[in-house]
Amino acid sequence: MKSFISHSSERNLKHNKEIAKNNESKDPLDNITFKVIGDFGKWQFKTALLMALLKLPMAWYQLNILFLAPPQNFWCEKPMILSQYSDGEWRDICAPKIEEHPCLIFDPDILAIAPYLDRALIPLVPCQKFVYDTSIFTRTIISDWNLVCTRHWLIHFTQAVMMWGVVCGGILFPMWADRYGRKNPLMAGIVIQCVAGFVTSVVKQYWIFMMSWFILAVAVGGLGVVSFVMSIEVVSGKWRTVIPILYQVPFGVGNAILAGLGYFLRDWRHLEFSLSMISSLFILYYFAIEESPRWLLATGQTQKAYEIMEKAAKINGREHILKDMKHLIINQVQKQNTPGFMAFIKSKFMRKNTVLLSLNWFCTGLSFFTFSQYLGYVGSNIYLAILLSGLISIPGCLLCLLIITRFGRKTTVWVFQIISSFCFLIILLIPKEVFTNDWPRLMVAGIGFAGLSGAVPALFLYSGELFPTLGRNAGVGGVTTFARIASMVAPGIVSLDEIFADLPLILLAFVSFCQLTLLLPLPETKGLPLPDTLEDAERYSTNQNIRHGGRRNKK
């Protein structure tokens, strides 16, 4: 198997180098932009770092439902007519033993009159007021709005609304970014995220909370796509492989920070307010980032592009090259139309890639978000589980970088999906609450999460390289939307554990193994220049189809 992958990768990379050589002069934006500012320098480092830091709030807001609505014990408040009983005695006699949580209790009026009456003769009535266990979490959205019993479904609805907002943001912001540039939508998303975060932390009514929660999610989803595209457009050469992967590292750091803040801030309002305070610092990006020169060139705004490239060239110490290239920058690049996501669906050669990438993102999103929310079930300590998953995801990203530079994009996604799939199965074989803090289950879960953390940046890079500059936001935003759609399904998958223990892990393993077949028809992109137009992307796809067709005919 290893030999087959190695030989296949070598053939793909050799073929892609030939294509890259043939297309080198046909990629004017690369030839102009990076001859002036270089493949990577101080200017690119600053931009890439700032874009990567935006992954911190993405981790916080997409996963903080684990601390907003954690598993929390509750019971019915003791009525005054039964004040002679201690709290423990009341909890023991108030409800049938078969109920874990007392949504229905024996009629207190009858219990007060005839405490020893056969319980089968006492009718059950709804509990009027609940008391919550505050030994671990002092306040949650569950205790604030009584999201228990008949309102328990609102917990899953809350997370579904977050992911639905992320879906909408992943669609709307990329369209704005392709039309109005990268910086303005990015700053709009940062401001909306900040304001909505503060509002979310202070509102008293659940449905107003949900409205601000949705708006917050739209901003989070939009920032995720736009910042990634920005990071990939400012670099070239080998850095176009390195930066998009390192861009994902702060997501794991964000998990670890969230676990630490959640440990010290047991009140969900304090936690949300603190996250919003930190996120408000990103407003300073207005003074720190520039518009993407590649987007400006692609849309014919050559004078603005030149001004930004002049700043970048000075920071990178390449002013002498800029003077020689000024005439070429101003005159040779023409404005071109920006295709939307549907243009890729309608394209004969891009349709297959777009559909397969969408399905791959759905499977990856389902695995990632379901497993992230399932971590609380893997071990008994939720803080330790989230902390370890965040820390272990960092070496997962670094390992991804080592594999992807050697074997290519598609093989890397394969490797990490196989690792995650087997970890899901291994966790099933390890009994729960047998070892201290369930450390064997947590260790395997950490490795599995590292596998997912390696697959996500590889798939992000792969997707970004298959779509052209004009339409890359729409393309990447469109296919990653299916990961967000899958994230809306994730709470339902997690809840299946209440029906059959570890059923979510069985489903995740099945989905991950099935995903491997969806990667096979996709072309390898390692060694290819980034396509700038839909025509470029179609030409690369055509070359791949001719290559595979020739191989079949040869056989």
Side-chain angles (χ1 to χ4, degrees):
M1 178 67 178
K2 181 179 179 180
S3 177
F4 170 77
I5 292 177
S6 179
H7 289 311
S8 176
S9 298
E10 289 175 3
R11 287 196 301 268
N12 287 338
L13 299 185
K14 182 178 179 181
H15 175 76
N16 289 350
K17 287 179 180 178
E18 294 173 358
I19 296 176
K21 184 177 180 181
N22 293 335
N23 286 285
E24 185 175 2
S25 61
K26 299 177 183 179
D27 190 9
L29 298 190
D30 263 355
N31 289 341
I32 293 174
T33 306
F34 299 109
K35 280 183 180 178
V36 173
I37 64 176
D39 291 346
F40 188 78
K42 294 180 180 178
W43 182 79
Q44 287 98 328
F45 173 79
K46 181 193 76 171
T47 303
L49 177 62
L50 293 176
M51 293 302 102
L53 290 177
L54 287 171
K55 294 291 287 186
L56 292 173
M58 293 176 209
W60 299 336
Y61 290 121
Q62 291 187 53
L63 298 179
N64 70 349
I65 190 66
L66 297 171
F67 298 106
L68 266 62
Q72 188 174 20
N73 289 326
F74 65 92
W75 53 90
C76 194
E77 185 179 56
K78 182 176 59 177
M80 290 299 297
I81 58 175
L82 295 171
S83 59
Q84 69 271 24
Y85 294 101
S86 67
D87 290 339
E89 290 173 334
W90 160 248
R91 292 172 60 182
D92 187 58
I93 67 172
C94 71
K97 301 297 183 182
I98 59 173
E99 288 194 30
E100 181 180 0
H101 298 296
C103 296
L104 296 175
I105 62 171
F106 296 116
D107 191 328
D109 294 328
I110 298 178
L111 278 179
I113 298 172
Y116 302 107
L117 184 65
D118 186 351
R119 294 297 185 266
L121 301 176
I122 302 178
L124 295 173
V125 297
C127 176
Q128 298 302 310
K129 186 177 181 181
F130 294 101
V131 178
Y132 295 89
D133 180 6
T134 58
S135 60
I136 300 178
F137 300 95
T138 58
R139 177 190 276 183
T140 67
I141 63 171
I142 297 175
S143 60
D144 267 9
W145 292 305
N146 288 320
L147 304 186
V148 295
C149 299
T150 58
R151 292 169 58 85
H152 178 72
W153 66 275
L154 290 173
I155 296 175
H156 299 309
F157 179 70
T158 301
Q159 183 64 0
V161 167
M162 164 58 70
M163 294 310 173
W164 177 243
V166 171
V167 169
C168 293
I171 296 173
L172 295 175
F173 275 80
M175 290 192 299
W176 296 334
D178 279 334
R179 183 175 295 272
Y180 302 111
R182 310 326 192 195
K183 180 177 179 178
N184 289 335
L186 192 78
M187 290 309 307
I190 289 173
V191 172
I192 293 171
Q193 177 181 264
C194 175
V195 174
F198 281 119
V199 172
T200 298
S201 68
V202 298
V203 293
K204 300 299 183 182
Q205 293 77 26
Y206 175 74
W207 293 109
I208 298 178
F209 162 81
M210 290 302 293
M211 286 189 286
S212 62
W213 186 245
F214 175 78
I215 294 171
L216 172 62
V218 171
V220 170
L223 288 174
V225 179
V226 178
S227 62
F228 171 76
V229 171
M230 188 91 165
S231 70
I232 199 176
E233 285 185 347
V234 297
V235 296
S236 185
K238 68 178 183 179
W239 297 101
R240 191 164 282 155
T241 299
V242 174
I243 294 302
I245 293 175
L246 295 181
Y247 163 86
Q248 305 293 336
V249 170
F251 193 91
V253 177
N255 277 8
I257 293 174
L258 178 63
L261 287 174
Y263 181 81
F264 290 105
L265 301 173
R266 304 298 180 95
D267 184 321
W268 78 270
R269 293 187 184 276
H270 296 166
L271 177 62
E272 284 298 295
F273 189 84
S274 299
L275 295 178
S276 299
M277 284 292 294
I278 299 173
S279 298
S280 66
L281 297 175
F282 292 110
I283 294 177
L284 297 175
Y285 274 27
Y286 182 80
F287 306 101
I289 62 174
E290 305 284 353
E291 183 56 82
S292 167
R294 189 181 181 97
W295 177 83
L296 291 171
L297 289 172
T299 54
Q301 301 179 62
T302 53
Q303 184 59 44
K304 292 181 180 178
Y306 176 79
E307 293 171 1
I308 293 173
M309 292 167 68
E310 183 178 27
K311 296 178 184 177
K314 289 180 179 178
I315 294 174
N316 289 349
R318 299 173 65 89
E319 303 97 315
H320 60 288
I321 299 177
L322 177 69
K323 296 177 181 179
D324 298 332
M325 297 287 290
K326 180 175 181 179
H327 178 74
L328 186 62
I329 295 171
I330 299 297
N331 296 311
Q332 287 198 6
V333 181
Q334 301 297 323
K335 183 177 181 179
Q336 303 175 63
N337 293 326
T338 300
F341 183 70
M342 291 308 298
F344 300 118
I345 298 295
K346 295 176 181 178
S347 168
K348 179 180 178 181
F349 295 106
M350 283 297 294
R351 183 185 304 118
K352 180 192 72 175
N353 292 349
T354 304
V355 170
L356 288 173
L357 281 175
S358 299
L359 293 173
N360 271 282
W361 272 110
F362 181 86
C363 295
T364 300
L366 189 67
S367 298
F368 185 86
F369 289 104
T370 301
F371 195 57
S372 296
Q373 296 175 43
Y374 190 75
L375 287 173
Y377 294 84
V378 173
S380 55
N381 189 324
I382 187 173
Y383 299 105
L384 184 60
I386 301 302
L387 175 65
L388 289 179
S389 69
L391 295 178
I392 293 177
S393 69
I394 298 174
C397 287
L398 300 179
L399 182 60
C400 171
L401 182 60
L402 294 176
I403 297 176
I404 208 168
T405 53
R406 180 177 177 84
F407 295 106
R409 286 55 166 150
K410 187 164 67 173
T411 303
T412 304
V413 180
W414 252 69
V415 169
F416 283 107
Q417 286 295 346
I418 290 174
I419 291 173
S420 299
S421 301
F422 277 107
C423 285
F424 296 151
L425 295 177
I426 293 172
I427 294 174
L428 294 172
L429 304 177
I430 304 175
K432 192 175 182 180
E433 297 181 352
V434 173
F435 303 93
T436 304
N437 287 326
D438 291 308
W439 69 263
R441 288 171 63 91
L442 287 177
M443 181 182 68
V444 177
I447 296 173
F449 201 82
L452 291 172
S453 299
V456 168
L459 196 54
F460 249 119
L461 174 63
Y462 195 26
S463 302
E465 291 182 341
L466 283 172
F467 289 107
T469 299
L470 292 175
R472 182 168 295 121
N473 267 290
V476 174
V479 295
T480 55
T481 293
F482 288 86
R484 314 305 183 191
I485 293 173
S487 69
M488 297 170 63
V489 182
I493 300 295
V494 173
S495 67
L496 294 177
D497 191 78
E498 300 173 4
I499 300 174
F500 183 82
D502 293 327
L503 180 57
L505 290 175
I506 298 173
L507 292 176
L508 291 184
F510 176 77
V511 169
S512 296
F513 281 119
C514 289
Q515 183 182 351
L516 299 177
T517 63
L518 298 173
L519 289 166
L520 291 175
L522 289 168
E524 178 57 65
T525 58
K526 186 177 187 298
L528 287 175
L530 276 183
D532 286 315
T533 64
L534 179 56
E535 290 74 21
D536 290 339
E538 287 178 332
R539 183 169 64 251
Y540 298 159
S541 297
T542 302
N543 288 334
Q544 289 286 344
N545 289 339
I546 292 174
R547 171 178 169 242
H548 290 302
R551 186 182 298 171
R552 287 193 297 269
N553 293 334
K554 184 176 179 180
K555 290 182 179 180

